[in-house]
Amino acid sequence: MATAESLTGGLVCAALTTVAGSSKTVRGGVVSYATDLKADLLGVDPDRLHEVGPVDAQVAEEMALGAARLLGADVGLATTGVAGPGPADGMPAGTVFVAAAGPWPGGVKSRRLALSGDRDEVRRASVDAVLDLLDELLRG
């Protein structure tokens, strides 16, 4: 398992590694807070980033795929969005996309979230959402 995180800044990987024995399944994570790193490290389409910005379902999906590829994992998780307090990249605070790439039908799935709360609450809810998505996909 590998993570690619923007607004959560490593919180997803941190949550995964709180579990004893996680070193057997967690390969690592990439915090790609800067937009150029999404393209340069994770292989997100730079034209897409230029056209729509980093807060986008396809960007989240490409981040998840890129994390799995880059870190040699079967599963990649990604978060991208606006934690707040104000808008960014033309999106209101609380707009978040989470994605999971793995060996399930379709290979990659994303979810758009419209979260409320302060910055910390949006970030925590984003972690919960991507882990919930993973749980759903693993259960089939």
Side-chain angles (χ1 to χ4, degrees), residues 21-66:
S22 61
S23 61
K24 295 177 183 170
T25 57
V26 178
R27 297 273 304 153
V30 173
V31 176
S32 55
Y33 207 64
T35 300
D36 61 314
L37 293 179
K38 291 171 181 63
D40 295 345
L41 291 177
L42 298 170
V44 175
D45 180 1
D47 292 331
R48 181 80 181 177
L49 289 166
H50 180 71
E51 290 169 15
V52 301
V55 185
D56 174 68
Q58 183 178 324
V59 169
E61 291 174 3
E62 290 181 14
M63 288 173 64
L65 290 164

PDB file of all heavy atoms in Angstrom, residues 21-66:
ATOM      1  N   GLY A  21       2.334  -3.903  12.983  1.00  0.00           N
ATOM      2  CA  GLY A  21       2.573  -4.793  11.847  1.00  0.00           C
ATOM      3  C   GLY A  21       2.355  -4.131  10.498  1.00  0.00           C
ATOM      4  O   GLY A  21       2.462  -4.790   9.463  1.00  0.00           O
ATOM      5  N   SER A  22       2.055  -2.833  10.501  1.00  0.00           N
ATOM      6  CA  SER A  22       1.784  -2.137   9.238  1.00  0.00           C
ATOM      7  C   SER A  22       2.993  -2.119   8.308  1.00  0.00           C
ATOM      8  O   SER A  22       2.833  -1.953   7.098  1.00  0.00           O
ATOM      9  CB  SER A  22       1.297  -0.717   9.505  1.00  0.00           C
ATOM     10  OG  SER A  22       2.272   0.033  10.194  1.00  0.00           O
ATOM     11  N   SER A  23       4.182  -2.329   8.841  1.00  0.00           N
ATOM     12  CA  SER A  23       5.375  -2.339   7.986  1.00  0.00           C
ATOM     13  C   SER A  23       5.329  -3.478   6.973  1.00  0.00           C
ATOM     14  O   SER A  23       6.049  -3.450   5.981  1.00  0.00           O
ATOM     15  CB  SER A  23       6.645  -2.427   8.830  1.00  0.00           C
ATOM     16  OG  SER A  23       6.650  -3.618   9.585  1.00  0.00           O
ATOM     17  N   LYS A  24       4.458  -4.451   7.187  1.00  0.00           N
ATOM     18  CA  LYS A  24       4.309  -5.554   6.229  1.00  0.00           C
ATOM     19  C   LYS A  24       3.447  -5.161   5.037  1.00  0.00           C
ATOM     20  O   LYS A  24       3.493  -5.844   4.013  1.00  0.00           O
ATOM     21  CB  LYS A  24       3.705  -6.774   6.919  1.00  0.00           C
ATOM     22  CG  LYS A  24       4.615  -7.356   7.976  1.00  0.00           C
ATOM     23  CD  LYS A  24       3.960  -8.513   8.682  1.00  0.00           C
ATOM     24  CE  LYS A  24       4.906  -9.008   9.786  1.00  0.00           C
ATOM     25  NZ  LYS A  24       4.256  -9.970  10.658  1.00  0.00           N
ATOM     26  N   THR A  25       2.667  -4.086   5.169  1.00  0.00           N
ATOM     27  CA  THR A  25       1.772  -3.707   4.075  1.00  0.00           C
ATOM     28  C   THR A  25       1.944  -2.277   3.579  1.00  0.00           C
ATOM     29  O   THR A  25       1.593  -1.989   2.440  1.00  0.00           O
ATOM     30  CB  THR A  25       0.290  -3.884   4.487  1.00  0.00           C
ATOM     31  OG1 THR A  25       0.044  -3.117   5.654  1.00  0.00           O
ATOM     32  CG2 THR A  25      -0.041  -5.334   4.736  1.00  0.00           C
ATOM     33  N   VAL A  26       2.451  -1.387   4.390  1.00  0.00           N
ATOM     34  CA  VAL A  26       2.609   0.010   3.971  1.00  0.00           C
ATOM     35  C   VAL A  26       4.009   0.211   3.404  1.00  0.00           C
ATOM     36  O   VAL A  26       5.001   0.027   4.102  1.00  0.00           O
ATOM     37  CB  VAL A  26       2.353   0.982   5.149  1.00  0.00           C
ATOM     38  CG1 VAL A  26       2.571   2.425   4.705  1.00  0.00           C
ATOM     39  CG2 VAL A  26       0.958   0.786   5.714  1.00  0.00           C
ATOM     40  N   ARG A  27       4.064   0.578   2.110  1.00  0.00           N
ATOM     41  CA  ARG A  27       5.353   0.821   1.455  1.00  0.00           C
ATOM     42  C   ARG A  27       5.867   2.226   1.756  1.00  0.00           C
ATOM     43  O   ARG A  27       7.051   2.430   1.907  1.00  0.00           O
ATOM     44  CB  ARG A  27       5.202   0.666  -0.065  1.00  0.00           C
ATOM     45  CG  ARG A  27       4.799  -0.705  -0.525  1.00  0.00           C
ATOM     46  CD  ARG A  27       5.936  -1.641  -0.745  1.00  0.00           C
ATOM     47  NE  ARG A  27       6.894  -1.082  -1.692  1.00  0.00           N
ATOM     48  CZ  ARG A  27       8.190  -1.400  -1.696  1.00  0.00           C
ATOM     49  NH1 ARG A  27       8.652  -2.266  -0.826  1.00  0.00           N
ATOM     50  NH2 ARG A  27       9.007  -0.863  -2.561  1.00  0.00           N
ATOM     51  N   GLY A  28       4.958   3.193   1.797  1.00  0.00           N
ATOM     52  CA  GLY A  28       5.365   4.566   2.047  1.00  0.00           C
ATOM     53  C   GLY A  28       4.385   5.537   1.451  1.00  0.00           C
ATOM     54  O   GLY A  28       3.314   5.143   0.990  1.00  0.00           O
ATOM     55  N   GLY A  29       4.761   6.798   1.459  1.00  0.00           N
ATOM     56  CA  GLY A  29       3.867   7.821   0.947  1.00  0.00           C
ATOM     57  C   GLY A  29       4.620   8.993   0.352  1.00  0.00           C
ATOM     58  O   GLY A  29       5.787   9.219   0.655  1.00  0.00           O
ATOM     59  N   VAL A  30       3.914   9.721  -0.492  1.00  0.00           N
ATOM     60  CA  VAL A  30       4.430  10.936  -1.116  1.00  0.00           C
ATOM     61  C   VAL A  30       3.504  12.075  -0.725  1.00  0.00           C
ATOM     62  O   VAL A  30       2.288  11.977  -0.929  1.00  0.00           O
ATOM     63  CB  VAL A  30       4.458  10.806  -2.656  1.00  0.00           C
ATOM     64  CG1 VAL A  30       4.832  12.127  -3.307  1.00  0.00           C
ATOM     65  CG2 VAL A  30       5.390   9.691  -3.097  1.00  0.00           C
ATOM     66  N   VAL A  31       4.062  13.117  -0.146  1.00  0.00           N
ATOM     67  CA  VAL A  31       3.290  14.327   0.112  1.00  0.00           C
ATOM     68  C   VAL A  31       3.608  15.278  -1.030  1.00  0.00           C
ATOM     69  O   VAL A  31       4.716  15.809  -1.117  1.00  0.00           O
ATOM     70  CB  VAL A  31       3.630  14.951   1.486  1.00  0.00           C
ATOM     71  CG1 VAL A  31       2.886  16.271   1.669  1.00  0.00           C
ATOM     72  CG2 VAL A  31       3.285  13.984   2.606  1.00  0.00           C
ATOM     73  N   SER A  32       2.641  15.431  -1.903  1.00  0.00           N
ATOM     74  CA  SER A  32       2.817  16.280  -3.086  1.00  0.00           C
ATOM     75  C   SER A  32       1.929  17.512  -2.928  1.00  0.00           C
ATOM     76  O   SER A  32       0.955  17.689  -3.660  1.00  0.00           O
ATOM     77  CB  SER A  32       2.485  15.508  -4.360  1.00  0.00           C
ATOM     78  OG  SER A  32       1.187  14.962  -4.289  1.00  0.00           O
ATOM     79  N   TYR A  33       2.271  18.326  -1.972  1.00  0.00           N
ATOM     80  CA  TYR A  33       1.490  19.519  -1.664  1.00  0.00           C
ATOM     81  C   TYR A  33       1.558  20.519  -2.816  1.00  0.00           C
ATOM     82  O   TYR A  33       0.561  21.125  -3.172  1.00  0.00           O
ATOM     83  CB  TYR A  33       2.022  20.118  -0.363  1.00  0.00           C
ATOM     84  CG  TYR A  33       1.010  20.916   0.420  1.00  0.00           C
ATOM     85  CD1 TYR A  33      -0.124  20.314   0.947  1.00  0.00           C
ATOM     86  CD2 TYR A  33       1.203  22.264   0.646  1.00  0.00           C
ATOM     87  CE1 TYR A  33      -1.052  21.040   1.674  1.00  0.00           C
ATOM     88  CE2 TYR A  33       0.282  23.002   1.374  1.00  0.00           C
ATOM     89  CZ  TYR A  33      -0.841  22.386   1.887  1.00  0.00           C
ATOM     90  OH  TYR A  33      -1.752  23.109   2.599  1.00  0.00           O
ATOM     91  N   ALA A  34       2.714  20.658  -3.407  1.00  0.00           N
ATOM     92  CA  ALA A  34       2.890  21.563  -4.547  1.00  0.00           C
ATOM     93  C   ALA A  34       2.384  20.889  -5.823  1.00  0.00           C
ATOM     94  O   ALA A  34       2.631  19.708  -6.059  1.00  0.00           O
ATOM     95  CB  ALA A  34       4.360  21.940  -4.705  1.00  0.00           C
ATOM     96  N   THR A  35       1.676  21.649  -6.632  1.00  0.00           N
ATOM     97  CA  THR A  35       1.067  21.096  -7.843  1.00  0.00           C
ATOM     98  C   THR A  35       2.093  20.491  -8.783  1.00  0.00           C
ATOM     99  O   THR A  35       1.852  19.430  -9.367  1.00  0.00           O
ATOM    100  CB  THR A  35       0.245  22.193  -8.561  1.00  0.00           C
ATOM    101  OG1 THR A  35      -0.767  22.651  -7.662  1.00  0.00           O
ATOM    102  CG2 THR A  35      -0.414  21.664  -9.815  1.00  0.00           C
ATOM    103  N   ASP A  36       3.255  21.123  -8.950  1.00  0.00           N
ATOM    104  CA  ASP A  36       4.247  20.584  -9.881  1.00  0.00           C
ATOM    105  C   ASP A  36       4.740  19.207  -9.458  1.00  0.00           C
ATOM    106  O   ASP A  36       5.082  18.373 -10.301  1.00  0.00           O
ATOM    107  CB  ASP A  36       5.419  21.548 -10.073  1.00  0.00           C
ATOM    108  CG  ASP A  36       6.178  21.836  -8.795  1.00  0.00           C
ATOM    109  OD1 ASP A  36       5.549  22.102  -7.750  1.00  0.00           O
ATOM    110  OD2 ASP A  36       7.427  21.810  -8.840  1.00  0.00           O
ATOM    111  N   LEU A  37       4.744  18.920  -8.160  1.00  0.00           N
ATOM    112  CA  LEU A  37       5.169  17.605  -7.697  1.00  0.00           C
ATOM    113  C   LEU A  37       4.175  16.512  -8.088  1.00  0.00           C
ATOM    114  O   LEU A  37       4.559  15.360  -8.274  1.00  0.00           O
ATOM    115  CB  LEU A  37       5.373  17.603  -6.191  1.00  0.00           C
ATOM    116  CG  LEU A  37       6.531  18.460  -5.683  1.00  0.00           C
ATOM    117  CD1 LEU A  37       6.613  18.397  -4.166  1.00  0.00           C
ATOM    118  CD2 LEU A  37       7.832  18.031  -6.315  1.00  0.00           C
ATOM    119  N   LYS A  38       2.910  16.872  -8.206  1.00  0.00           N
ATOM    120  CA  LYS A  38       1.912  15.894  -8.641  1.00  0.00           C
ATOM    121  C   LYS A  38       2.272  15.372 -10.028  1.00  0.00           C
ATOM    122  O   LYS A  38       2.154  14.174 -10.307  1.00  0.00           O
ATOM    123  CB  LYS A  38       0.518  16.501  -8.613  1.00  0.00           C
ATOM    124  CG  LYS A  38       0.001  16.771  -7.205  1.00  0.00           C
ATOM    125  CD  LYS A  38      -1.295  17.569  -7.229  1.00  0.00           C
ATOM    126  CE  LYS A  38      -1.816  17.875  -5.850  1.00  0.00           C
ATOM    127  NZ  LYS A  38      -0.962  18.709  -5.025  1.00  0.00           N
ATOM    128  N   ALA A  39       2.721  16.250 -10.890  1.00  0.00           N
ATOM    129  CA  ALA A  39       3.135  15.857 -12.238  1.00  0.00           C
ATOM    130  C   ALA A  39       4.520  15.208 -12.224  1.00  0.00           C
ATOM    131  O   ALA A  39       4.708  14.109 -12.752  1.00  0.00           O
ATOM    132  CB  ALA A  39       3.129  17.063 -13.172  1.00  0.00           C
ATOM    133  N   ASP A  40       5.476  15.871 -11.596  1.00  0.00           N
ATOM    134  CA  ASP A  40       6.869  15.419 -11.650  1.00  0.00           C
ATOM    135  C   ASP A  40       7.116  14.103 -10.929  1.00  0.00           C
ATOM    136  O   ASP A  40       7.863  13.263 -11.423  1.00  0.00           O
ATOM    137  CB  ASP A  40       7.800  16.491 -11.070  1.00  0.00           C
ATOM    138  CG  ASP A  40       7.814  17.763 -11.901  1.00  0.00           C
ATOM    139  OD1 ASP A  40       7.338  17.748 -13.053  1.00  0.00           O
ATOM    140  OD2 ASP A  40       8.277  18.799 -11.378  1.00  0.00           O
ATOM    141  N   LEU A  41       6.506  13.900  -9.769  1.00  0.00           N
ATOM    142  CA  LEU A  41       6.743  12.678  -8.997  1.00  0.00           C
ATOM    143  C   LEU A  41       5.726  11.580  -9.279  1.00  0.00           C
ATOM    144  O   LEU A  41       6.072  10.409  -9.343  1.00  0.00           O
ATOM    145  CB  LEU A  41       6.731  12.979  -7.491  1.00  0.00           C
ATOM    146  CG  LEU A  41       7.878  13.795  -6.940  1.00  0.00           C
ATOM    147  CD1 LEU A  41       7.660  14.058  -5.452  1.00  0.00           C
ATOM    148  CD2 LEU A  41       9.199  13.093  -7.160  1.00  0.00           C
ATOM    149  N   LEU A  42       4.466  11.983  -9.409  1.00  0.00           N
ATOM    150  CA  LEU A  42       3.391  10.989  -9.478  1.00  0.00           C
ATOM    151  C   LEU A  42       2.882  10.728 -10.889  1.00  0.00           C
ATOM    152  O   LEU A  42       2.098   9.806 -11.094  1.00  0.00           O
ATOM    153  CB  LEU A  42       2.221  11.430  -8.585  1.00  0.00           C
ATOM    154  CG  LEU A  42       2.567  11.549  -7.101  1.00  0.00           C
ATOM    155  CD1 LEU A  42       1.431  12.231  -6.340  1.00  0.00           C
ATOM    156  CD2 LEU A  42       2.873  10.179  -6.514  1.00  0.00           C
ATOM    157  N   GLY A  43       3.314  11.530 -11.844  1.00  0.00           N
ATOM    158  CA  GLY A  43       2.912  11.303 -13.226  1.00  0.00           C
ATOM    159  C   GLY A  43       1.523  11.811 -13.574  1.00  0.00           C
ATOM    160  O   GLY A  43       0.936  11.387 -14.565  1.00  0.00           O
ATOM    161  N   VAL A  44       0.987  12.734 -12.769  1.00  0.00           N
ATOM    162  CA  VAL A  44      -0.304  13.330 -13.097  1.00  0.00           C
ATOM    163  C   VAL A  44      -0.130  14.162 -14.366  1.00  0.00           C
ATOM    164  O   VAL A  44       0.866  14.870 -14.534  1.00  0.00           O
ATOM    165  CB  VAL A  44      -0.823  14.194 -11.933  1.00  0.00           C
ATOM    166  CG1 VAL A  44      -2.114  14.924 -12.319  1.00  0.00           C
ATOM    167  CG2 VAL A  44      -1.049  13.334 -10.696  1.00  0.00           C
ATOM    168  N   ASP A  45      -1.089  14.072 -15.256  1.00  0.00           N
ATOM    169  CA  ASP A  45      -1.053  14.783 -16.532  1.00  0.00           C
ATOM    170  C   ASP A  45      -0.895  16.289 -16.298  1.00  0.00           C
ATOM    171  O   ASP A  45      -1.794  16.923 -15.737  1.00  0.00           O
ATOM    172  CB  ASP A  45      -2.347  14.491 -17.289  1.00  0.00           C
ATOM    173  CG  ASP A  45      -2.437  15.180 -18.633  1.00  0.00           C
ATOM    174  OD1 ASP A  45      -1.499  15.901 -19.036  1.00  0.00           O
ATOM    175  OD2 ASP A  45      -3.473  14.996 -19.306  1.00  0.00           O
ATOM    176  N   PRO A  46       0.238  16.871 -16.717  1.00  0.00           N
ATOM    177  CA  PRO A  46       0.459  18.303 -16.479  1.00  0.00           C
ATOM    178  C   PRO A  46      -0.553  19.180 -17.208  1.00  0.00           C
ATOM    179  O   PRO A  46      -0.905  20.255 -16.713  1.00  0.00           O
ATOM    180  CB  PRO A  46       1.882  18.556 -16.962  1.00  0.00           C
ATOM    181  CG  PRO A  46       2.262  17.370 -17.770  1.00  0.00           C
ATOM    182  CD  PRO A  46       1.386  16.237 -17.367  1.00  0.00           C
ATOM    183  N   ASP A  47      -1.030  18.737 -18.367  1.00  0.00           N
ATOM    184  CA  ASP A  47      -2.044  19.514 -19.083  1.00  0.00           C
ATOM    185  C   ASP A  47      -3.337  19.570 -18.280  1.00  0.00           C
ATOM    186  O   ASP A  47      -3.992  20.610 -18.200  1.00  0.00           O
ATOM    187  CB  ASP A  47      -2.318  18.923 -20.472  1.00  0.00           C
ATOM    188  CG  ASP A  47      -1.123  19.079 -21.402  1.00  0.00           C
ATOM    189  OD1 ASP A  47      -0.344  20.042 -21.237  1.00  0.00           O
ATOM    190  OD2 ASP A  47      -0.968  18.231 -22.307  1.00  0.00           O
ATOM    191  N   ARG A  48      -3.702  18.444 -17.662  1.00  0.00           N
ATOM    192  CA  ARG A  48      -4.905  18.402 -16.823  1.00  0.00           C
ATOM    193  C   ARG A  48      -4.751  19.363 -15.641  1.00  0.00           C
ATOM    194  O   ARG A  48      -5.671  20.098 -15.299  1.00  0.00           O
ATOM    195  CB  ARG A  48      -5.127  16.975 -16.324  1.00  0.00           C
ATOM    196  CG  ARG A  48      -6.342  16.797 -15.461  1.00  0.00           C
ATOM    197  CD  ARG A  48      -7.572  16.706 -16.297  1.00  0.00           C
ATOM    198  NE  ARG A  48      -8.762  16.566 -15.463  1.00  0.00           N
ATOM    199  CZ  ARG A  48      -9.969  16.520 -15.957  1.00  0.00           C
ATOM    200  NH1 ARG A  48     -10.154  16.588 -17.258  1.00  0.00           N
ATOM    201  NH2 ARG A  48     -11.003  16.396 -15.169  1.00  0.00           N
ATOM    202  N   LEU A  49      -3.581  19.317 -15.002  1.00  0.00           N
ATOM    203  CA  LEU A  49      -3.323  20.211 -13.877  1.00  0.00           C
ATOM    204  C   LEU A  49      -3.436  21.672 -14.300  1.00  0.00           C
ATOM    205  O   LEU A  49      -3.985  22.499 -13.568  1.00  0.00           O
ATOM    206  CB  LEU A  49      -1.948  19.931 -13.275  1.00  0.00           C
ATOM    207  CG  LEU A  49      -1.818  18.627 -12.500  1.00  0.00           C
ATOM    208  CD1 LEU A  49      -0.362  18.302 -12.244  1.00  0.00           C
ATOM    209  CD2 LEU A  49      -2.597  18.697 -11.190  1.00  0.00           C
ATOM    210  N   HIS A  50      -2.928  21.986 -15.483  1.00  0.00           N
ATOM    211  CA  HIS A  50      -2.982  23.364 -15.979  1.00  0.00           C
ATOM    212  C   HIS A  50      -4.413  23.776 -16.308  1.00  0.00           C
ATOM    213  O   HIS A  50      -4.816  24.909 -16.042  1.00  0.00           O
ATOM    214  CB  HIS A  50      -2.094  23.511 -17.215  1.00  0.00           C
ATOM    215  CG  HIS A  50      -2.092  24.889 -17.794  1.00  0.00           C
ATOM    216  ND1 HIS A  50      -1.481  25.952 -17.177  1.00  0.00           N
ATOM    217  CD2 HIS A  50      -2.651  25.385 -18.913  1.00  0.00           C
ATOM    218  CE1 HIS A  50      -1.661  27.041 -17.896  1.00  0.00           C
ATOM    219  NE2 HIS A  50      -2.375  26.724 -18.960  1.00  0.00           N
ATOM    220  N   GLU A  51      -5.191  22.835 -16.888  1.00  0.00           N
ATOM    221  CA  GLU A  51      -6.550  23.156 -17.322  1.00  0.00           C
ATOM    222  C   GLU A  51      -7.544  23.260 -16.161  1.00  0.00           C
ATOM    223  O   GLU A  51      -8.359  24.179 -16.131  1.00  0.00           O
ATOM    224  CB  GLU A  51      -7.056  22.090 -18.300  1.00  0.00           C
ATOM    225  CG  GLU A  51      -6.359  22.122 -19.642  1.00  0.00           C
ATOM    226  CD  GLU A  51      -6.671  20.915 -20.501  1.00  0.00           C
ATOM    227  OE1 GLU A  51      -7.638  20.179 -20.206  1.00  0.00           O
ATOM    228  OE2 GLU A  51      -5.936  20.702 -21.479  1.00  0.00           O
ATOM    229  N   VAL A  52      -7.509  22.299 -15.240  1.00  0.00           N
ATOM    230  CA  VAL A  52      -8.536  22.260 -14.191  1.00  0.00           C
ATOM    231  C   VAL A  52      -7.984  22.459 -12.786  1.00  0.00           C
ATOM    232  O   VAL A  52      -8.753  22.656 -11.851  1.00  0.00           O
ATOM    233  CB  VAL A  52      -9.348  20.941 -14.231  1.00  0.00           C
ATOM    234  CG1 VAL A  52     -10.033  20.761 -15.568  1.00  0.00           C
ATOM    235  CG2 VAL A  52      -8.490  19.748 -13.905  1.00  0.00           C
ATOM    236  N   GLY A  53      -6.679  22.366 -12.626  1.00  0.00           N
ATOM    237  CA  GLY A  53      -6.075  22.517 -11.313  1.00  0.00           C
ATOM    238  C   GLY A  53      -5.982  21.188 -10.580  1.00  0.00           C
ATOM    239  O   GLY A  53      -6.425  20.151 -11.079  1.00  0.00           O
ATOM    240  N   PRO A  54      -5.438  21.204  -9.379  1.00  0.00           N
ATOM    241  CA  PRO A  54      -5.185  19.971  -8.645  1.00  0.00           C
ATOM    242  C   PRO A  54      -6.397  19.386  -7.916  1.00  0.00           C
ATOM    243  O   PRO A  54      -6.353  18.247  -7.454  1.00  0.00           O
ATOM    244  CB  PRO A  54      -4.112  20.376  -7.640  1.00  0.00           C
ATOM    245  CG  PRO A  54      -4.394  21.829  -7.385  1.00  0.00           C
ATOM    246  CD  PRO A  54      -4.861  22.372  -8.711  1.00  0.00           C
ATOM    247  N   VAL A  55      -7.481  20.148  -7.817  1.00  0.00           N
ATOM    248  CA  VAL A  55      -8.661  19.685  -7.073  1.00  0.00           C
ATOM    249  C   VAL A  55      -9.650  19.104  -8.086  1.00  0.00           C
ATOM    250  O   VAL A  55     -10.532  19.798  -8.611  1.00  0.00           O
ATOM    251  CB  VAL A  55      -9.282  20.828  -6.245  1.00  0.00           C
ATOM    252  CG1 VAL A  55     -10.429  20.311  -5.396  1.00  0.00           C
ATOM    253  CG2 VAL A  55      -8.223  21.484  -5.368  1.00  0.00           C
ATOM    254  N   ASP A  56      -9.487  17.796  -8.360  1.00  0.00           N
ATOM    255  CA  ASP A  56     -10.192  17.170  -9.468  1.00  0.00           C
ATOM    256  C   ASP A  56     -10.170  15.652  -9.293  1.00  0.00           C
ATOM    257  O   ASP A  56      -9.179  15.099  -8.786  1.00  0.00           O
ATOM    258  CB  ASP A  56      -9.476  17.572 -10.767  1.00  0.00           C
ATOM    259  CG  ASP A  56     -10.004  16.901 -12.002  1.00  0.00           C
ATOM    260  OD1 ASP A  56     -11.146  17.191 -12.386  1.00  0.00           O
ATOM    261  OD2 ASP A  56      -9.269  16.081 -12.580  1.00  0.00           O
ATOM    262  N   ALA A  57     -11.230  14.986  -9.701  1.00  0.00           N
ATOM    263  CA  ALA A  57     -11.325  13.531  -9.566  1.00  0.00           C
ATOM    264  C   ALA A  57     -10.234  12.808 -10.353  1.00  0.00           C
ATOM    265  O   ALA A  57      -9.587  11.889  -9.842  1.00  0.00           O
ATOM    266  CB  ALA A  57     -12.699  13.043 -10.010  1.00  0.00           C
ATOM    267  N   GLN A  58     -10.022  13.215 -11.601  1.00  0.00           N
ATOM    268  CA  GLN A  58      -9.000  12.553 -12.422  1.00  0.00           C
ATOM    269  C   GLN A  58      -7.615  12.753 -11.834  1.00  0.00           C
ATOM    270  O   GLN A  58      -6.787  11.840 -11.845  1.00  0.00           O
ATOM    271  CB  GLN A  58      -9.049  13.070 -13.857  1.00  0.00           C
ATOM    272  CG  GLN A  58      -8.053  12.373 -14.776  1.00  0.00           C
ATOM    273  CD  GLN A  58      -8.149  12.861 -16.209  1.00  0.00           C
ATOM    274  OE1 GLN A  58      -9.234  13.160 -16.697  1.00  0.00           O
ATOM    275  NE2 GLN A  58      -7.014  12.949 -16.882  1.00  0.00           N
ATOM    276  N   VAL A  59      -7.355  13.925 -11.306  1.00  0.00           N
ATOM    277  CA  VAL A  59      -6.067  14.184 -10.656  1.00  0.00           C
ATOM    278  C   VAL A  59      -5.891  13.245  -9.469  1.00  0.00           C
ATOM    279  O   VAL A  59      -4.834  12.632  -9.298  1.00  0.00           O
ATOM    280  CB  VAL A  59      -5.938  15.667 -10.237  1.00  0.00           C
ATOM    281  CG1 VAL A  59      -4.731  15.886  -9.331  1.00  0.00           C
ATOM    282  CG2 VAL A  59      -5.845  16.558 -11.475  1.00  0.00           C
ATOM    283  N   ALA A  60      -6.920  13.100  -8.644  1.00  0.00           N
ATOM    284  CA  ALA A  60      -6.845  12.195  -7.495  1.00  0.00           C
ATOM    285  C   ALA A  60      -6.578  10.764  -7.955  1.00  0.00           C
ATOM    286  O   ALA A  60      -5.747  10.056  -7.377  1.00  0.00           O
ATOM    287  CB  ALA A  60      -8.131  12.258  -6.683  1.00  0.00           C
ATOM    288  N   GLU A  61      -7.256  10.333  -9.010  1.00  0.00           N
ATOM    289  CA  GLU A  61      -7.069   8.981  -9.526  1.00  0.00           C
ATOM    290  C   GLU A  61      -5.645   8.785 -10.030  1.00  0.00           C
ATOM    291  O   GLU A  61      -5.011   7.756  -9.761  1.00  0.00           O
ATOM    292  CB  GLU A  61      -8.087   8.690 -10.622  1.00  0.00           C
ATOM    293  CG  GLU A  61      -9.499   8.576 -10.089  1.00  0.00           C
ATOM    294  CD  GLU A  61     -10.553   8.424 -11.172  1.00  0.00           C
ATOM    295  OE1 GLU A  61     -10.196   8.347 -12.379  1.00  0.00           O
ATOM    296  OE2 GLU A  61     -11.744   8.366 -10.808  1.00  0.00           O
ATOM    297  N   GLU A  62      -5.133   9.756 -10.767  1.00  0.00           N
ATOM    298  CA  GLU A  62      -3.765   9.662 -11.284  1.00  0.00           C
ATOM    299  C   GLU A  62      -2.745   9.699 -10.149  1.00  0.00           C
ATOM    300  O   GLU A  62      -1.692   9.055 -10.236  1.00  0.00           O
ATOM    301  CB  GLU A  62      -3.500  10.757 -12.309  1.00  0.00           C
ATOM    302  CG  GLU A  62      -4.277  10.540 -13.597  1.00  0.00           C
ATOM    303  CD  GLU A  62      -4.027  11.606 -14.653  1.00  0.00           C
ATOM    304  OE1 GLU A  62      -3.063  12.396 -14.527  1.00  0.00           O
ATOM    305  OE2 GLU A  62      -4.802  11.651 -15.627  1.00  0.00           O
ATOM    306  N   MET A  63      -3.043  10.428  -9.089  1.00  0.00           N
ATOM    307  CA  MET A  63      -2.161  10.436  -7.918  1.00  0.00           C
ATOM    308  C   MET A  63      -2.114   9.049  -7.280  1.00  0.00           C
ATOM    309  O   MET A  63      -1.031   8.556  -6.926  1.00  0.00           O
ATOM    310  CB  MET A  63      -2.634  11.475  -6.895  1.00  0.00           C
ATOM    311  CG  MET A  63      -2.409  12.916  -7.297  1.00  0.00           C
ATOM    312  SD  MET A  63      -3.181  14.097  -6.134  1.00  0.00           S
ATOM    313  CE  MET A  63      -2.244  13.759  -4.624  1.00  0.00           C
ATOM    314  N   ALA A  64      -3.277   8.418  -7.128  1.00  0.00           N
ATOM    315  CA  ALA A  64      -3.330   7.082  -6.527  1.00  0.00           C
ATOM    316  C   ALA A  64      -2.571   6.070  -7.379  1.00  0.00           C
ATOM    317  O   ALA A  64      -1.785   5.263  -6.861  1.00  0.00           O
ATOM    318  CB  ALA A  64      -4.788   6.652  -6.341  1.00  0.00           C
ATOM    319  N   LEU A  65      -2.784   6.123  -8.679  1.00  0.00           N
ATOM    320  CA  LEU A  65      -2.063   5.228  -9.591  1.00  0.00           C
ATOM    321  C   LEU A  65      -0.560   5.500  -9.542  1.00  0.00           C
ATOM    322  O   LEU A  65       0.245   4.573  -9.533  1.00  0.00           O
ATOM    323  CB  LEU A  65      -2.587   5.393 -11.022  1.00  0.00           C
ATOM    324  CG  LEU A  65      -3.993   4.864 -11.281  1.00  0.00           C
ATOM    325  CD1 LEU A  65      -4.545   5.417 -12.596  1.00  0.00           C
ATOM    326  CD2 LEU A  65      -3.989   3.337 -11.290  1.00  0.00           C
ATOM    327  N   GLY A  66      -0.199   6.770  -9.502  1.00  0.00           N
ATOM    328  CA  GLY A  66       1.213   7.146  -9.451  1.00  0.00           C
ATOM    329  C   GLY A  66       1.898   6.694  -8.180  1.00  0.00           C
ATOM    330  O   GLY A  66       3.042   6.237  -8.206  1.00  0.00           O
TER     331      GLY A  66
END
